[in-house]
Amino acid sequence: MRFAVLGPVRAWRADVELRLGPPQQQAFAALLLTSTDRPVTATEVVDMLWGQDPPPSAVNVVRRYVGALRRVLEPGLPRMATGRWLLREGGGYRLDVGVTALDLLRFRDLRTQARAADRADDSAYALELYAQALALWRGHAAAGIPAQVRSHPVFVGLDGERLATVKEAADAALRCGRAGPVLAQLQGLADDHPLDEPLHSRLIRALALTGQQAQALETYQKIRVLLAEELGVEPSSELLAAHREVLSARSAPTFPTPLAALDSEGSTGRAAAPETASPARDDLLVPLPRPAQLPAAYEHFAGREAEIDHMLRRLPAASGHGGPGTTMVINAIGGMAGVGKTTLAVQVAHRVTDRFPDGQLYVNLRGFDLHGAAMDPAEAVRGFLEALGVSRKQMPDSLEAQAALYRSLLADRRVLVLLDNARDADQVRPLLPGAAGCLVLITSRNQLTSLVVAGGAHPLTLDLLSPKDARQSLVRRLGAYRVAAEPAAVDTIISLCGGLPLALSIITARALMNPTFPLSGIAAELMEANGSLDAFDGLDATTDVRTVFGWSYHTLTGEAARLFRLLSLHPGPDIGTHAAGALADRPTARVRSLLAELTRTHLLTEEAPGRYRFHDLLRAYANELARAEDGEGDGEEERRDAMCRVLDHYLLTAHASASLLDPAGVFPSPAPSPEATGTPVALGDAESALSWFSAERLVLLEVARQSVDDGLGGHAWQLARLLDPVHERFGHWHDWADLQRIALAAAQQLADPVGVAHAHGGLGRACSLLRRYPEAADHLHHALSLFEALGDDLGQAHTRRALGWVMTRTERHGEAIRQTRHALDLYRIAGHLSGQADAMNAIAWYEAVLGDYDKAMANALRSLSLYRRMSDQGGPHEANAWDTLAYAHHHLGNFRRAQACYLRAIDMLRRNGDRYNEAGSLTRLGDTYAATGDDAAARAAWAQAADILTEIDPPWAAEVRAKLQTSAFSDDGVPDVTSHSDDVLRRTAHRLP
């Protein structure tokens, strides 16, 4: 019998090959063949075949495989008999085979002999034995069995043995100068292990030894690129050494005389090798010119100390004074046009020139040039080679060869390389040194992501100047006296320049050229031109904001350029991905790609995942382009269509949000227009609806204003109405009032009585929360009159309930009950169950405030029974009913029940994001704790309430903090806070019923 596992799993009886069964049975045989020195347990087999999820019958299946293999190996074996080959022993199974019967055992035996020969310094014989051993391999170990099984450590380990043996064989081959016997094995395994540097270093040496220097260099370049792209690392010292050996062997016929020793006619002079040169490379590392190509540093540079410190901190470990660093440092400086990338890079470079005694190289790659093409990397490499003393006659023809020579010349040298205004990573890669000890500074308007991922570059996105740094810049240029003399004008200039150094430089130059002009006059010109770029015209292309922005804009694809223009129409401070898709009328996936293109060129900033923002001057530039490139007529129509789409998007998403946050329809929502064309954000639950509102809150206010300006006021009042639940729940009452004022003006402009009624109602509720009670009552009475005229029972009911709340806040509790009972009747007529429950609970609350606790409890229980009949069970309105019960229990002396009801209410309110009422329940819970003498728990509840109320309702927050400051308790244990509020009724009435 013969067996094989170093490749497909096979077995022969004499010369007849046996069929070992299905793939899993073959895998079982393979495991046995790799473990001939010990029994293999059934547990090991199950683990190999099925991993963590074996079937219930796994052990029985293994037993069937054992029987089947025995019958294959010994066809005449009686059932249940002990066979010759497959033995049962030691609680497992073992195949009894010897060295001559199994290729794996023969391979290991030959390898042992080869190692012994190698230790005896007989490399030639060792190579012969290694070659015999490796010839037994016909592919991966156990090839052909299921892939998930072949990934078992046993088989992976076998492949590892082969890899280690090939490396040992290669070492023996290189020592005896005969690489041919192992070259095919090296090449095959190099394909399987493309990132194995020790293996590739041996392959490179073997190729060179067999006269294939070009293929050796190609192999080096291939793994160098792959290491950078896949792992973000440079080649190891072992790989670099192999590369240097090939170059050294190759340099003699190519450059018979050291490069720097050739004069302009090509004749030979004498050149001494540098003292620091490695003896093995004296023919390549000759004294080179010391280039000093850095542009002059900007005399009036100010600020950016944090960014400079950030970059310098990376240097000592890699580029300290004590000799070559352990790696090359790459700093990629990105940012929008005009933000000062080049100025910063040059400043940093001049600060560290002493650390790079072998020189500084600089090139403007013209990556963003309005009238010219970006520089070809070959042109840049040739320029660097000339600076390093290489004549045109000596330069190789191809870019790859030129880049290889450039890296060779910089090896073991300490050079600073500044690559300015790069278009992309492909333009930069041939210009990167390959050895340690160099510093590379790159500036680009594009995000050089692949250099960061694969090249280990340290990214630095340069932000706008802070007001402090902008002021310091003005002081450096204009003088401290002139800046201090007009502080208000200086503040205006800094604000309108938006922190953009280029814009600030243009205005500074205007002030310098006109020293008699007051800064207030220049500031006034800026204010007059605000929204356009007219005030930032420069003297030439490099100092004209429009031109500089244009260099970036003209690199965009057509679709990205269109989106850039359309984004200027969006009124909000930022925009989300879905809204941008609606604006451009493109699917979300496509617009995400276009937004990424804009952020890569720094024409747009992604301040948070999926949220994008314009710089004010870039917005002005985009708006100019929109009006100039899209023109009038069709262009105007496209812009209006775009605004309609984005407004529809916000309206439809707000409608979806309202449905999730107000499922019971407490706030009547207008149905979306069937003509709405925008695509809403997919909101799955109330939490996602709240997240959407939180992200878009400031945007929606500006969107409403814009809709009125564009003659689309219907969107404004509907949007305001749909956002009532979240504004009330989150406590953004000033925003709510502002939005409702816009909505009211829009509805009045449209003469839409429904919109006017809703806007008056929403504004009335917002004013009541802001404690503007007379104004609130006035708006609510206007709304009530309009709803009555419209015959809208539900609108009347909501408005009367809101009026009831205003009445109780002004201590007219009887009138509050009357209005709310009227609302309850209207809710019953309209069949609005949620409204009935809310009104019933409001009446219960007012009764409790008046001291009629038994009646309050009865009505609160009625409202709870109504809530439990609805889908709003567990919502914020049911929570208010529990709060009413808790309040009544407290005043009836049932403190334990009061605590339980308050805690239940607070839990519901937190889950629904109702912060205002949560604060109210926490305050009253604190009172209950205090009544039982639990001072610590009382103070903890009050502290939580005060934290919430600080942003929402500062006057009430002050009242709660007053409770925390007092240590005096009344005889019944209730804290004495009467000095901090008018009376008990006012304190207890803080709640949205």
Side-chain angles (χ1 to χ4, degrees), residues 474 478 482-484 486 489-490 493 507 511 516-524:
L474 289 174
L478 301 179
R482 193 174 180 188
V483 171
E486 298 185 78
V490 169
I493 290 171
I507 300 306
T516 61
F517 282 16
L519 295 182
S520 57
I522 295 175

Side-chain angles (χ1 to χ4, degrees), residues 629-886:
E629 296 193 19
D630 296 333
E632 304 297 326
D634 292 343
E636 285 289 344
E637 185 177 347
E638 183 187 12
R639 289 195 292 276
R640 183 177 175 83
D641 288 346
M643 279 308 301
C644 282
R645 286 193 302 270
V646 79
L647 288 171
D648 284 347
H649 159 78
Y650 285 122
L651 197 61
L652 291 170
T653 307
H655 194 276
S657 171
S659 299
L660 291 166
L661 295 173
D662 183 25
V666 175
F667 296 88
S669 301
S673 168
E675 298 176 359
T677 57
T679 303
V681 177
L683 303 175
D685 52 27
E687 185 177 351
S688 61
L690 290 173
S691 297
W692 174 80
F693 171 75
S694 181
E696 302 287 0
R697 179 172 64 87
L698 297 178
V699 172
L700 294 168
L701 195 60
E702 298 305 321
V703 164
R705 287 196 179 99
Q706 184 71 38
S707 68
V708 177
D709 293 342
D710 291 344
L712 300 168
H715 287 78
W717 80 257
Q718 292 180 61
L719 192 62
R721 187 53 176 156
L722 288 166
L723 296 173
D724 280 349
V726 281
H727 275 120
E728 180 181 86
R729 188 177 298 184
F730 270 98
H732 300 298
W733 301 330
H734 288 282
D735 290 347
W736 190 10
D738 289 344
L739 184 60
Q740 289 293 358
R741 291 186 199 284
I742 295 168
L744 181 58
Q748 288 173 335
Q749 181 181 331
L750 293 170
D752 183 344
V754 175
V756 172
H758 282 296
H760 271 304
L763 186 53
R765 285 186 67 83
C767 287
S768 67
L769 290 166
L770 293 169
R771 304 191 181 204
R772 302 170 186 167
Y773 302 122
E775 186 180 356
D778 185 56
H779 283 296
L780 290 170
H781 282 299
H782 274 93
L784 185 58
S785 297
L786 286 166
F787 283 129
E788 286 174 344
L790 291 166
D792 185 341
D793 291 335
L794 199 54
Q796 293 177 59
H798 285 310
T799 306
R800 287 191 180 278
R801 189 159 61 86
L803 274 168
W805 194 77
V806 173
M807 300 302 175
T808 197
R809 292 306 300 269
T810 54
E811 301 182 30
R812 291 180 286 172
H813 306 294
E815 178 64 15
I817 292 175
R818 189 185 67 80
Q819 287 284 3
T820 310
R821 288 196 185 281
H822 197 161
L824 178 59
D825 292 339
L826 290 166
Y827 283 130
R828 285 171 174 159
I829 292 170
H832 197 282
L833 201 61
S834 173
Q836 294 174 48
D838 290 341
M840 186 72 71
N841 183 48
I843 292 168
W845 177 252
Y846 302 147
E847 290 168 340
V849 169
L850 287 171
D852 197 345
Y853 305 120
D854 290 324
K855 188 180 290 186
M857 286 188 64
N859 280 324
L861 289 169
R862 290 190 186 97
S863 70
L864 272 177
S865 68
L866 289 172
Y867 286 126
R868 290 172 177 174
R869 291 165 55 190
M870 302 182 307
S871 61
D872 191 41
Q873 186 172 350
H877 300 282
E878 182 183 346
N880 285 341
W882 285 106
D883 181 90
T884 301
L885 282 172

Side-chain angles (χ1 to χ4, degrees), residues 572-587:
D574 62 358
I575 189 170
T577 305
H578 293 89
L583 194 67
D585 197 19
R586 294 291 185 271

Side-chain angles (χ1 to χ4, degrees), residues 85-370:
W85 301 104
L86 182 51
L87 307 178
R88 172 76 175 177
E89 61 181 42
Y93 305 96
R94 185 176 70 84
L95 269 174
D96 186 16
V97 294
V99 171
T100 58
L102 177 60
D103 60 355
L104 173 60
L105 297 180
R106 176 64 176 157
F107 162 75
R108 287 172 174 168
D109 181 60
L110 288 168
R111 183 183 61 188
T112 300
Q113 295 179 50
R115 287 173 174 171
D118 222 355
R119 284 194 297 272
D121 293 328
D122 191 347
S123 297
Y125 183 48
L127 176 60
E128 181 181 339
L129 292 168
Y130 276 128
Q132 291 179 35
L134 292 169
L136 296 170
W137 284 81
R138 301 171 318 285
H140 291 293
I145 67 175
Q148 72 273 16
V149 177
R150 221 198 70 76
S151 64
H152 191 275
V154 169
F155 306 122
V156 174
L158 281 184
D159 286 337
E161 285 189 48
R162 180 192 187 190
L163 178 61
T165 304
V166 168
K167 291 175 183 177
E168 293 172 18
D171 291 341
L174 293 170
R175 279 194 294 273
C176 67
R178 292 174 50 211
V182 296
L183 190 56
Q185 291 277 357
L186 283 169
Q187 289 173 319
L189 286 182
D191 291 338
D192 291 341
H193 303 274
L195 296 173
D196 189 321
E197 294 181 83
L199 178 67
H200 279 75
S201 67
R202 289 167 171 83
L203 174 59
I204 289 167
R205 289 188 172 100
L207 287 167
L209 187 61
T210 57
Q212 303 178 64
Q213 280 87 355
Q215 190 173 351
L217 291 174
E218 182 183 343
T219 300
Y220 170 78
Q221 292 297 336
K222 183 178 178 181
I223 188 173
R224 185 185 71 81
V225 171
L226 202 58
L227 286 168
E229 290 179 347
E230 297 292 331
L231 303 180
V233 298
E234 294 295 321
S236 66
S237 58
E238 183 179 3
L239 201 56
L240 288 169
H243 182 233
R244 283 196 297 268
E245 288 177 20
V246 177
L247 288 175
S248 181
R250 195 170 180 259
S251 62
T254 306
F255 299 109
T257 308
L259 297 178
L262 293 179
D263 61 23
S264 60
E265 300 298 324
S267 61
T268 303
R270 295 182 61 83
E275 293 181 1
T276 58
S278 166
R281 305 191 55 220
D282 284 348
D283 59 337
L284 185 63
L285 296 179
V286 297
L288 300 178
R290 183 183 182 280
Q293 298 183 333
L294 289 180
Y298 182 53
E299 179 184 359
H300 302 289
F301 184 86
R304 301 296 195 196
E305 291 305 319
E307 291 86 348
I308 292 174
D309 289 345
H310 172 80
M311 296 171 69
L312 295 183
R313 277 198 303 271
R314 303 190 179 279
L315 294 184
S319 309
H321 292 285
T326 58
T327 186
M328 174 179 60
V329 178
I330 305 174
N331 282 294
I333 307 171
M336 66 179 287
V339 81
K341 299 178 292 295
T342 299
T343 303
L344 175 66
V346 171
Q347 186 73 19
V348 170
H350 276 283
R351 289 196 187 188
V352 299
T353 52
D354 61 316
R355 304 191 190 191
F356 301 93
D358 296 315
Q360 310 95 43
L361 295 169
Y362 170 86
V363 64
N364 178 2
L365 293 171
R366 301 194 308 268
F368 297 86
D369 193 321
L370 192 59

Side-chain angles (χ1 to χ4, degrees), residues 72-88:
V72 168
L73 299 177
E74 300 176 73
L77 186 68
R79 187 173 180 82
M80 305 300 290
T82 302
R84 158 70 182 83
W85 301 104
L86 182 51
L87 307 178
R88 172 76 175 177

Side-chain angles (χ1 to χ4, degrees), residues 402-718:
Q402 292 167 2
L405 177 58
Y406 162 69
R407 289 191 295 272
S408 299
L409 293 174
L410 293 191
D412 296 331
R413 290 185 169 87
R414 301 173 58 72
V415 177
L416 186 154
V417 182
L418 203 169
L419 307 176
D420 191 21
N421 198 16
R423 170 65 67 88
D424 51 36
D426 289 338
Q427 189 187 28
V428 164
R429 281 197 183 93
L431 306 175
L432 297 178
C438 293
L439 168 66
V440 182
L441 300 176
I442 308 169
T443 72
S444 179
R445 299 184 192 183
N446 270 332
Q447 293 176 343
L448 305 179
T449 307
S450 62
L451 274 187
V452 176
V453 173
H458 304 291
L460 173 65
T461 300
L462 203 55
D463 205 348
L464 301 166
L465 284 176
S466 68
K468 178 183 175 181
D469 286 351
R471 185 177 297 275
Q472 186 182 350
S473 177
L474 289 174
V475 168
R476 295 285 295 271
R477 296 299 310 276
L478 301 179
Y481 176 79
R482 193 174 180 188
V483 171
E486 298 185 78
V490 169
D491 288 343
T492 301
I493 290 171
I494 291 172
S495 174
L496 294 179
C497 287
L500 189 67
L502 175 60
L504 197 64
S505 296
I506 293 171
I507 300 306
T508 304
R510 178 162 169 72
L512 285 170
M513 294 170 65
N514 300 277
T516 61
F517 282 16
L519 295 182
S520 57
I522 295 175
E525 290 179 351
L526 277 175
M527 292 181 69
E528 185 178 346
N530 193 20
S532 78
L533 300 180
D534 293 341
F536 299 100
D537 290 334
L539 298 177
D540 57 38
T542 61
T543 59
D544 182 85
V545 170
R546 283 190 182 90
T547 304
V548 172
F549 286 169
W551 292 340
S552 295
Y553 172 73
H554 286 283
T555 67
L556 298 174
T557 60
E559 270 197 290
R562 173 179 174 268
L563 177 60
F564 177 71
R565 299 192 301 270
L566 287 175
L567 286 172
S568 69
L569 306 178
H570 187 264
D574 62 358
I575 189 170
T577 305
H578 293 89
L583 194 67
D585 197 19
R586 294 291 185 271
T588 302
R590 178 58 185 152
V591 85
R592 191 175 281 117
S593 173
L594 299 176
L595 289 166
E597 183 177 348
L598 293 175
T599 56
R600 281 197 301 271
T601 55
H602 293 283
L603 289 170
L604 207 61
T605 301
E606 188 175 12
E607 292 199 331
R611 303 296 306 181
Y612 301 87
R613 183 183 293 267
F614 260 137
H615 184 276
D616 288 344
L617 297 182
L618 278 170
R619 180 189 293 276
Y621 176 65
N623 195 265
E624 287 184 2
L625 290 173
R627 300 188 183 283
E629 296 193 19
D630 296 333
E632 304 297 326
D634 292 343
E636 285 289 344
E637 185 177 347
E638 183 187 12
R639 289 195 292 276
R640 183 177 175 83
D641 288 346
M643 279 308 301
C644 282
R645 286 193 302 270
V646 79
L647 288 171
D648 284 347
H649 159 78
Y650 285 122
L651 197 61
L652 291 170
T653 307
H655 194 276
S657 171
S659 299
L660 291 166
L661 295 173
D662 183 25
V666 175
F667 296 88
S669 301
S673 168
E675 298 176 359
T677 57
T679 303
V681 177
L683 303 175
D685 52 27
E687 185 177 351
S688 61
L690 290 173
S691 297
W692 174 80
F693 171 75
S694 181
E696 302 287 0
R697 179 172 64 87
L698 297 178
V699 172
L700 294 168
L701 195 60
E702 298 305 321
V703 164
R705 287 196 179 99
Q706 184 71 38
S707 68
V708 177
D709 293 342
D710 291 344
L712 300 168
H715 287 78
W717 80 257
Q718 292 180 61

